[in-house]
């Protein structure tokens, strides 16, 4: 696991490259290396997980093929054996060392041979100098880039703050970003919140040359053939595939732990990992005091049932304002899910306990129809509009409320350019096929990488912890896609076959409990007298919002009045989301230009 960066057909001083590396050192503290030539450079920050004494990057094949890599390749031994039979030799057994030889044999098709999570950057100097970038099928390892089409310059990095340290990459907010963010909690697709900065999509291979410029192709993701004969067969297949992947993903040359929220998905991963790892350690996070939706009792039950060593991490809500700045910085762009705070603190505790690898249950809801919005859409009577409520359920702030919060000028801009929610609705209505299939494609292809996977990647790597995701493995994804609707969604409940697969492995209390989101209880925490409420009021002051020009200060103030007199989830989420957005602007773009020096105190107060 690493962080990577570089440029192609461009210029960067050694100081710039060192600055980029330094800004990603948390994600690769074990080694910082780079290689450079005329008009190109590749760099790497290493978090040593496999072959701790080997694995030096950049990897080379002769002098003409140079590569850096972020992630884990789980089938590297199989690939090494295949390539060795073709005459290739390897200096170590690290997973990424197979990449140059694999590219030499398969060319632009080399990512099709990889089983794992990865982003790869490779320079081929044999003919016309060529840069190749590639991402895994689900998008577990993000890669951000800035492409200057006129000059054919490209800069890339695993994290946005590092990319912005190249002097030719500017932190300029994307005008439509606020609406996109509030419509989906973080921007979906290839556009980031910064103008001119994109993220390579999942299953993508990019080729860059001076003569042809940048060309990105999307690999077709394989789908499983056929469907199970009945529910019993489907249950057994899900359990077997997940068990195989969990067991395989526990292999590392460093200690491995699991994260257990107390819900089905992470608990099942923990139960299966405990079969393979003696004395497995598992971690749960909760909040000091008494708050709604506390799941620690369920997580502890799972640990007792599976015989794991349980770690209870308690986070003091009074520390939230001081944590927010770091969380927003590591993410690089706003994510409105309050769980970001807990995630950041949790992985810091995992690393403090001596663990560099943790398995999680992320992506099960997307694969097996676990979200209420999916179940409601699939169950909607024929001929009714399921798209509008589904799209509104994605939002941090429902469309009618967020548009009322905009300034007249920004509201006119959104109306003229088109809202993000309208674009998503158009896409869903134009898609053909079964409703569940359409939604699964959208959840996995658009929402999962943007909303979940980037958040998990950035916040775990902020603490130098590699997260492994069994539900994102190809065998599990393909099988889940092949399952018919009635094996995923039952009346009033999703993930039907996954619950069946967990029977006998987890306590009945976990299997029979109502589903609840793993998140921060912000409605209770955003109340008068709470530290978070005072911090939010300072961040969203009328003068600050007036200077930004996108929000109506009076309407935002009315949100605070509502939350103070009649606290509710909608108002609390709106306040939280707007606060995070303002902190992001402050961090990366600076305070509003029209504010005086005395007013520019938000960052200094944190």
């Amino acid at each position: 696991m690493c962080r990577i960066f570089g440029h192609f057909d461009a210029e960067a001083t050694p100081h710039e490259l060192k600055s980029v590396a330094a800004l990603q050192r948390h994600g690769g503290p074990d080694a910082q290396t780079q290689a450079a030539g005329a008009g190109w450079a590749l760099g790497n920050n290493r978090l040593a997980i496999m072959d701790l004494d080997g694995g030096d990057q950049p990897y080379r094949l002769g002098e003409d093929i140079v590569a850096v890599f972020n992630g884990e390749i789980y089938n590297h031994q199989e690939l090494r054996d295949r390539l060795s039979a073709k005459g290739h030799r390897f200096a170590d057994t690290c997973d990424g060392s197979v990449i140059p030889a694999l590219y030499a044999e398969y060319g632009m098709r080399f990512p099709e041979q990889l089983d794992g999570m990865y982003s790869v950057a490779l320079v081929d100097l044999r003919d016309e100098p060529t840069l190749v970038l590639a991402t895994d099928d689900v998008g577990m390892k993000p890669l951000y880039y800035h492409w200057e089409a006129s000059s054919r310059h490209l800069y890339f990095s695993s994290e946005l703050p590092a990319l912005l340290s190249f002097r030719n990459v500017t932190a300029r907010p994307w005008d439509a970003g606020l609406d996109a963010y509030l419509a989906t909690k973080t921007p979906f697709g290839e556009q980031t919140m910064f103008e001119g900065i994109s993220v390579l999509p999942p299953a993508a291979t990019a080729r860059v040359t001076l003569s042809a410029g940048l060309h990105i192709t999307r690999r077709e993701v394989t789908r499983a053939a056929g469907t199970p004969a009945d529910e019993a067969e489907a249950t057994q297949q899900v359990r077997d595939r997940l068990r195989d992947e969990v067991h395989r993903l526990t292999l590392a040359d460093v200690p491995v732990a699991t994260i257990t929220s107390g819900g089905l998905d992470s608990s099942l991963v923990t139960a299966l990992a405990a079969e393979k790892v003696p004395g497995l350690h598992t971690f749960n996070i909760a909040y000091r005091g008494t708050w709604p939706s506390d799941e620690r009792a369920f997580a502890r039950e799972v640990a007792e049932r599976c015989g794991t060593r349980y770690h209870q991490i308690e986070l003091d809500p009074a520390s939230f304002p001081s944590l927010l700045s770091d969380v927003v910085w590591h993410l690089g762009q706003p994510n409105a899910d309050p769980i970001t705070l807990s995630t950041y603190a949790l992985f810091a505790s995992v690393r403090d306990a001596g663990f560099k690898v943790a398995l999680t249950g992320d992506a099960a809801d997307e694969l097996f129809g676990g979200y209420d919005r999916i179940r409601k859409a699939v169950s909607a009577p024929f001929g009714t509009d399921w798209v509008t409520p589904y799209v509104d359920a994605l939002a941090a702030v429902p469309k009618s409320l967020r548009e009322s919060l905009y300034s007249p000028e920004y509201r006119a801009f959104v109306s003229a350019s088109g809202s993000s929610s309208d674009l998503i609705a158009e896409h869903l209505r134009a898609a053909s096929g079964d409703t569940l299939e359409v939604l699964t494609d959208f959840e996995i292809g658009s929402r999962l990488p943007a909303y979940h996977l980037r958040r998990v990647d950035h916040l775990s790597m902020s603490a130098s912890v590699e997260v492994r995701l069994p539900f994102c493995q190809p065998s599990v994804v393909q099988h889940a896609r092949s399952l018919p609707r009635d094996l995923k969604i039952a009346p009033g409940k999703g993930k039907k076959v996954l619950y069946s697969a967990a029977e006998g492995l987890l306590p009945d209390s976990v299997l029979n409990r109502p589903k609840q989101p793993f998140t921060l209880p912000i409605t209770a925490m955003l109340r008068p007298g709470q530290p978070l409420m005072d911090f939010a009021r300072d961040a969203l002051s009328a003068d600050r919002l007036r200077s930004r020009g996108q929000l109506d200060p009076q309407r935002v103030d009315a949100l605070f009045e509502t939350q103070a007199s009649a606290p509710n989830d909608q108002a609390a989420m709106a306040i939280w989301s707007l606060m995070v957005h303002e902190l992001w602007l402050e961090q990366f773009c600076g305070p509003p230009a029209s504010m005086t020096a005395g007013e520019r105190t938000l960052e200094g107060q944190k």
Side-chain angles (χ1 to χ4, degrees), residues 140-156:
M140 289 177 273
K141 293 285 114 182
L143 193 61
Y144 302 95
Y145 68 93
H146 170 65
W147 166 244
E148 298 175 6
S150 59
S151 59
R152 303 292 174 92
H153 294 171
L154 187 138
Y155 300 86
F156 67 89

Side-chain angles (χ1 to χ4, degrees), residues 224-235 237-238 367-369 378 434-437 440 478-490 493-498:
T227 58
D230 53 30
E231 183 176 349
E233 181 181 355
T235 297
Q237 289 175 347
V238 167
L367 291 175
F368 293 96
V378 169
D434 174 78
T435 301
L436 181 57
E437 184 179 349
T440 301
Q478 291 168 18
H479 183 64
R481 283 181 174 276
S482 75
L483 296 175
R485 176 190 303 188
D486 62 353
L487 290 181
K488 294 183 180 181
I489 296 177
K493 190 175 185 179
K495 298 188 288 193
K496 178 182 177 182
V497 71
L498 198 60

Side-chain angles (χ1 to χ4, degrees), residues 4 19-20 39 42 72 110 166 222 250 286 320 338 344 431 433 470 496 507 512 515 522 544 587:
I4 62 174
S19 297
V20 175
L42 299 178
E72 293 288 347
F110 82 94
F166 284 110
T222 305
T250 61
F320 291 170
Y344 175 74
K496 178 182 177 182
N512 298 327
K515 178 178 174 57
I522 57 166
R544 183 175 293 274
Q587 288 243 13

Side-chain angles (χ1 to χ4, degrees), residues 533-550:
M533 187 69 151
D534 295 337
F535 184 80
R537 279 196 176 274
D538 289 341
L540 299 172
S541 70
D543 287 344
R544 183 175 293 274
L545 298 184
R546 195 174 294 112
S547 299
R548 296 285 189 203
Q550 291 181 310

Side-chain angles (χ1 to χ4, degrees), residues 21-39:
L23 286 171
Q24 297 188 132
R25 190 178 185 279
H26 49 266
D30 297 326
Q32 291 78 48
T33 52
Q34 58 185 262

Side-chain angles (χ1 to χ4, degrees), residues 165-186:
S165 68
F166 284 110
R167 68 181 184 275
N168 290 328
V169 183
T170 304
R172 188 171 67 254
W174 175 40
D175 288 340
L178 174 61
D179 183 68
Y181 160 67
L182 295 178
T184 53
K185 299 182 181 176
T186 199

